[in-house]
């Protein structure tokens, strides 16, 4: 149980284009999902908290207009990197929380984004 | 600002050795501490600790939390090459979203 998928697993795009990453909880419903970014040899940095049916909560320093988050259902959250630039190249990982507040977060397999 | 510090940053051992990984934290409104194992992709969940002094075990892995000293350890006995990974410690804190703050991880390499 508690399986989270992400799509795509890898994407290469040109500078200036937008990229959408999907995060799905496959065998449970998740009111809350989280989006993280991980640079090489660095730890996971929380970007935003995604709540179903409401606006995402962004961490300090994360541009909400650049990283658009939509959590339209209890099993799907999407992250759109708008007008991507090379410095946005990173490993993006989502997690979904099981069982509500205080529950364990289970992670998706991640999406590696390379912006040329 | 919430802070999670792991040590050592990297560790190389031989198969069969026992290792202890450390995690200390300073956070506001602590909820729980979690350990994850990260191989090539995203982290996989190992343990969640909420109470001091209660050891959690899963096979050769065990972990314990000390809420007075703000510290946790992860032990791996009889290590195998498949244990090679980055081990991440994260602390859940704050308000209703229970967000996680991660440490930088310990890179464990187990040589045959």
């Amino acid at each position: 149980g508690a399986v989270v998928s992400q799509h795509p697993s890898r994407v290469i795009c040109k500078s200036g284009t937008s990229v959408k990453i999907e995060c799905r909880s496959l065998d449970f419903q998740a009111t809350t999902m989280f989006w993280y970014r991980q640079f090489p040899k660095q730890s996971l940095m929380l970007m935003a908290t995604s709540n179903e049916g409401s606006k995402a909560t962004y961490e300090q320093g994360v541009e909400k207009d650049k990283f658009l988050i939509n959590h339209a259902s209890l099993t799907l959250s999407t992250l759109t990197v708008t007008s991507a630039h090379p410095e946005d190249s990173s490993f993006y990982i989502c997690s979904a929380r099981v069982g509500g507040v205080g529950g364990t977060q289970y992670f998706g397999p991640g999406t590696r984004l390379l912006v040329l | 600002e919430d802070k999670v510090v792991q040590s050592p940053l990297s560790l190389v051992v031989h198969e069969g050795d026992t290792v202890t990984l450390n995690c200390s934290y300073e956070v506001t409104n602590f909820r729980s501490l979690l350990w994850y194992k990260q191989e090539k992709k995203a982290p996989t969940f190992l343990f969640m600790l909420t109470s001091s002094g209660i050891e959690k075990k899963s096979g050769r892995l065990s972990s314990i939390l000390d809420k007075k000293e703000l510290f946790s350890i992860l032990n791996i006995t009889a290590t195998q090459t498949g244990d090679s990974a980055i081990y991440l410690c994260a602390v859940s804190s704050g308000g209703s979203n229970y967000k996680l703050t991660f440490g930088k991880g310990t890179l464990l390499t187990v040589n045959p």
Side-chain angles (χ1 to χ4, degrees):
Chain A
V3 179
V4 178
S5 71
Q6 271 184 252
H7 178 80
S9 58
R10 185 186 293 265
V11 58
I12 301 173
C13 68
K14 290 184 179 177
S15 188
T17 60
S18 294
V19 175
K20 181 188 277 189
I21 303 169
E22 293 185 349
C23 176
R24 293 181 187 271
S25 55
L26 297 185
D27 51 0
F28 65 100
Q29 292 183 329
T31 306
T32 303
M33 293 184 174
F34 301 85
W35 286 95
Y36 294 84
R37 183 166 51 185
Q38 186 177 34
F39 291 107
K41 298 188 180 179
Q42 302 277 322
S43 191
L44 279 75
M45 295 298 294
L46 179 65
M47 297 175 67
T49 302
S50 168
N51 292 299
E52 187 267 337
S54 64
K55 289 183 180 178
T57 304
Y58 290 81
E59 293 301 299
Q60 198 170 8
V62 178
E63 298 175 58
K64 62 178 71 175
D65 293 331
K66 179 165 184 65
F67 298 99
L68 301 178
I69 291 171
N70 186 305
H71 193 156
S73 79
L74 288 172
T75 59
L76 173 64
S77 175
T78 61
L79 168 70
T80 301
V81 183
T82 62
S83 187
H85 290 285
E87 58 265 30
D88 297 323
S89 299
S90 188
F91 190 50
Y92 291 86
I93 308 175
C94 74
S95 71
R97 189 168 64 199
V98 171
V101 169
T104 301
Q105 288 184 34
Y106 289 86
F107 286 83
T111 296
R112 192 160 297 284
L113 171 64
L114 176 60
V115 184
L116 302 177
Chain B
E1 186 180 327
D2 294 347
K3 193 189 305 186
V4 177
V5 178
Q6 290 185 247
S7 65
L9 290 181
S10 68
L11 188 56
V12 180
V13 300
H14 291 292
E15 267 192 317
D17 289 350
T18 293
V19 298
T20 298
L21 310 182
N22 307 298
C23 176
S24 63
Y25 61 90
E26 290 177 34
V27 300
T28 305
N29 200 11
F30 172 90
R31 302 291 184 180
S32 60
L33 185 144
L34 298 94
W35 284 97
Y36 289 88
K37 177 182 181 183
Q38 185 175 26
E39 294 173 270
K40 290 184 180 174
K41 291 191 173 177
T44 53
F45 172 75
L46 295 176
F47 299 111
M48 181 166 81
L49 304 158
T50 54
S51 303
S52 263
I54 299 175
E55 186 183 50
K56 291 216 172 178
K57 289 198 74 167
S58 176
R60 297 177 291 103
L61 276 67
S62 64
S63 183
I64 196 161
L65 173 67
D66 185 332
K67 288 169 75 172
K68 185 180 173 187
E69 298 297 327
L70 309 183
F71 190 81
S72 174
I73 60 172
L74 173 69
N75 276 324
I76 308 175
T77 59
T79 52
Q80 301 171 358
T81 55
D83 295 326
S84 297
I86 296 173
Y87 289 84
L88 294 169
C89 171
V91 175
S92 173
S93 64
S96 59
N97 277 329
Y98 280 58
K99 67 177 188 179
L100 292 181
T101 301
F102 280 84
K104 289 190 175 179
T106 294
L107 172 61
L108 174 64
T109 303
V110 181
N111 290 324

